[in-house]
Amino acid sequence: MNKKVTVIGTVGVPANYGGFETLVENIIGENCSNSVEYTVYCSTKSYPIKQSEYKGAKLKYIALKANGTQSILYDIISIFKAIGKADVLLILGVSGCMILP
């Protein structure tokens, strides 16, 4: 059984913003184990072309900016959408973490 890992709190992939996005680029794809299925939440504001998959990771889009004042809601919505669908939430941005126990 594959472990499902969801990445939250970045602008998304392909990396076009900064360090967290580059980290995700290096975690997914050829560097990841065959026993891990990745999902990465991405900001629609940063990706005019919406891919459904990138380097083997499923991409999900939130219609908010991942940075600035919208980042709090962006992260919270991503977390709620991922709960129950992932074994692990890798939360790289801390904006929405106020809802975590």
Side-chain angles (χ1 to χ4, degrees), residues 61-80:
Y61 294 90
I62 303 294
L64 295 167
K65 289 184 179 181
N67 296 302
T69 57
Q70 291 184 1
S71 66
I72 296 169
L73 195 52
Y74 173 82
D75 287 353
I76 290 172
I77 291 170
S78 300
I79 290 167
F80 277 122

Side-chain angles (χ1 to χ4, degrees), residues 43-61:
S43 169
T44 59
K45 305 295 183 182
S46 297
Y47 295 96
I49 298 172
K50 317 290 182 283
Q51 300 178 62
S52 61
E53 189 175 293
Y54 178 73
K55 288 189 172 183
K58 295 176 187 169
L59 305 182
K60 304 286 183 181
Y61 294 90

